[in-house]
């Protein structure tokens, strides 16, 4: 296995999980609670699981953030029900007793220590990550959360303050709500770090915008979660712009 892959998967294990409960927390966001037979499952807030999603006769991989592990040891995941794609369809049909294989926890974007403030911004797909990390910000540092959703019914209850932005019918991943909000947002005093999670082109524009506001690349953790122009690749992430090689993680004949 290549060194980079080994590093990315450090601490990750293969797990067979069982759906225990399913509930819609908003019209577009479905929570799924998964049980594991591993009793010492641990993770860093912000980390995710690589799900092996059934797709016809095969399985494809998709990444989903661990919202939390509850006091019964169940892993909670929030799926955007965006209507297309094997993962969204799996979540739409998920029922107690369903089994799913995953690899995790994985992912390097977690709360950076030693900063005075943390800006966490993204769309519906990033809400689990933004809230998990905001809840983990150590006092006296402050968390500023900005989340784009469809409308008031799509806001979720949170123990941290959230500035909700409403699309009100504008297309997900193809609007400037987050850009306008981050342009005028008053940043707290001191040294900060930004975490961006959402549609690929939007995340790229937000990263540039924040650089213009003095937050250099070392103090940003941008992560493209999905691509409005095409499905995620076989390794579960959007392909980089201009990618012409074989799909990373795709099955070879
Ligand atoms: C590290 C990481 C963590 C993630 N955590 C979460 C999470 O906690 N919750 C979550 O919901 N997503 C999360 N995502 C995003 C999720 O993996 C993608 O949305 C993925 O594309 C969903 O797979 P799919 O099979 O449903 O759709 P795909 O087969 O990838 O795409 C099918 C179609 O759906 C569109 N599409 C994909 N996602 C969305 C969306 N969110 N809104 C509107 N259209 C969409 C695509 O543009 C494409 O046209 C995460 C991604 C990464 C990389």
């Amino acid at each position: 296995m290549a060194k980079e892959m080994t590093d990315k998967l450090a601490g990750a294990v293969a797990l067979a999980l069982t759906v225990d409960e399913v509930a819609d927390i908003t019209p577009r966001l479905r929570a799924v609670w998964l049980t594991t037979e591993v009793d010492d499952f641990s993770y860093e807030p912000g980390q995710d699981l690589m799900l092996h999603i059934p797709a016809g006769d095969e399985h494809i991989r998709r990444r989903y953030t661990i919202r939390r592990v509850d006091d019964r040891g169940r892993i909670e995941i929030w799926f955007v029900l965006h209507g297309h794609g094997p993962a969204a369809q799996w979540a739409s049909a998920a029922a107690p007793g369903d089994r799913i294989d995953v690899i995790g926890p994985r992912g390097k974007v977690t709360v950076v220590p030693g900063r005075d403030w943390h800006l966490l911004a993204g769309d519906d797909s990033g809400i689990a990550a933004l809230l998990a990390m905001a809840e983990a910000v150590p006092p006296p540092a402050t968390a500023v959360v900005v989340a784009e959703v469809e409308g008031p019914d799509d806001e979720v209850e949170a123990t941290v303050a959230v500035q909700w932005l409403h699309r009100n019918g504008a297309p997900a991943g193809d609007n400037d709500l987050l850009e306008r909000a981050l342009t005028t947002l008053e940043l707290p005093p001191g040294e900060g770090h930004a975490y961006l999670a959402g549609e690929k082109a939007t995340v790229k524009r937000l990263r540039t915008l924040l650089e213009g506001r003095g937050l250099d690349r070392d103090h940003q953790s941008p992560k493209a979660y999905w691509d409005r122009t095409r499905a995620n690749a076989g390794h579960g992430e959007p392909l980089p712009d201009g990618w012409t090689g074989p799909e990373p993680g795709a099955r070879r004949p």
Side-chain angles (χ1 to χ4, degrees):
M1 194 181 278
K3 179 174 185 305
E4 188 194 357
M5 185 64 85
T6 319
D7 290 347
K8 278 187 183 165
L9 293 176
V13 290
L15 299 166
L17 304 182
T18 304
V19 174
D20 186 57
E21 190 182 343
V22 178
D24 288 341
I25 50 175
T26 75
R28 267 173 64 90
L29 210 54
R30 171 162 293 187
V32 176
W33 287 266
L34 298 154
T35 53
T36 167
E37 279 158 20
V38 175
D39 25 337
D40 58 349
F41 179 83
S42 65
Y43 70 105
E44 291 278 322
Q47 286 192 306
D48 61 281
L49 297 177
M50 173 87 81
L51 275 57
H52 294 248
I53 304 278
D57 295 337
E58 294 205 319
H59 286 79
I60 52 116
R61 293 185 271 177
R62 292 289 183 261
R63 295 178 65 175
Y64 280 84
T65 310
I66 299 164
R67 172 63 187 92
R68 59 168 78 84
V69 174
D70 71 11
D71 50 13
R72 293 162 56 187
R74 302 182 307 172
I75 301 171
E76 184 175 335
I77 306 281
W78 288 0
F79 291 83
V80 175
L81 300 177
H82 58 85
H84 321 278
Q89 283 165 9
W90 181 85
S92 299
D98 288 355
R99 309 270 298 181
I100 187 156
D101 292 330
V102 309
I103 295 176
R106 52 174 302 162
K108 289 178 174 174
V109 178
T110 56
V111 176
V112 172
R115 306 302 285 176
D116 300 310
W117 53 267
H118 302 260
L119 169 62
L120 305 109
D123 63 26
D124 329 46
S125 66
I127 293 176
L130 305 179
L131 293 183
M133 286 192 284
E135 291 160 359
V137 164
T142 49
V144 179
V145 184
V146 183
E148 176 204 306
V149 292
E150 176 52 34
D153 291 347
D154 298 279
E155 297 181 4
V156 299
E157 277 184 32
T159 56
V160 293
V162 178
Q163 180 184 340
W164 296 102
L165 309 175
H166 297 157
R167 286 191 292 273
N168 291 325
D174 194 12
N175 65 72
D176 63 358
L177 283 169
L178 281 161
E179 281 161 282
R180 283 193 279 138
L182 296 200
T183 300
T184 54
L185 184 74
E186 194 174 330
L187 298 174
E191 305 293 336
H193 192 95
Y195 312 80
L196 305 169
E199 199 279 327
K200 185 175 93 167
T202 308
V203 165
K204 195 173 173 186
R205 290 196 303 272
L206 295 177
R207 187 183 69 183
T208 305
L209 186 158
L210 289 176
E211 275 179 62
R213 295 202 63 183
L215 210 53
D216 64 38
R217 288 188 179 211
D218 288 348
H219 297 115
Q220 293 195 41
S221 300
K223 186 76 188 165
Y225 271 19
W226 61 284
D227 181 340
R228 72 182 170 83
T229 67
R230 57 180 162 183
N232 279 2
H235 66 326
E237 296 187 30
L239 285 172
D241 289 337
W243 181 272
T244 53
E247 212 178 84
R251 284 166 189 266
R252 307 287 187 276

